[in-house]
Amino acid sequence: MNRNFSMRPSINLVVSEPFITLDEFCRRTGYKPGYVRQMIRENRLPIRKKSGVNSLIEINMFALTMEAALGCEISIQA
């Protein structure tokens, strides 16, 4: 009876809100709005594509979660 079992650890990531407003992101992180806007201008913070010039800025929390997971050197299956 030779059985080959794969004992890979499993991690489930849940993103409750894929997009949050700039104000909510500032509240959660403690960053000032000016600094967050600078991060967005420098492409260090992913945002949802805006539909107009004056549309709401929404931070892409799913992209941030994926970036953090990829930084842990784990393989990701979708």
Side-chain angles (χ1 to χ4, degrees):
M1 284 191 161
N2 187 8
R3 293 184 183 172
N4 293 328
F5 288 106
S6 176
M7 297 299 289
R8 293 178 148 183
S10 176
I11 299 172
N12 294 319
L13 300 174
V14 177
V15 180
S16 61
E17 298 166 291
F19 299 97
I20 61 173
T21 64
L22 185 137
D23 290 337
E24 179 62 17
F25 184 80
C26 291
R27 187 189 70 75
R28 291 183 187 189
T29 61
Y31 293 150
K32 294 184 178 183
Y35 181 64
V36 173
R37 290 178 191 277
Q38 178 183 348
M39 291 174 68
I40 292 168
R41 280 192 303 273
E42 295 172 352
N43 292 322
R44 295 189 298 145
L45 197 58
I47 62 170
R48 173 184 263 178
K49 291 190 178 194
K50 294 169 57 173
S51 58
V53 176
N54 293 326
S55 61
L56 190 66
I57 296 174
E58 294 178 298
I59 311 298
N60 187 336
M61 297 305 290
F62 184 77
L64 287 176
T65 303
M66 292 300 293
E67 180 183 335
L70 290 171
C72 295
E73 298 180 9
I74 59 174
S75 63
I76 296 179
Q77 293 178 337

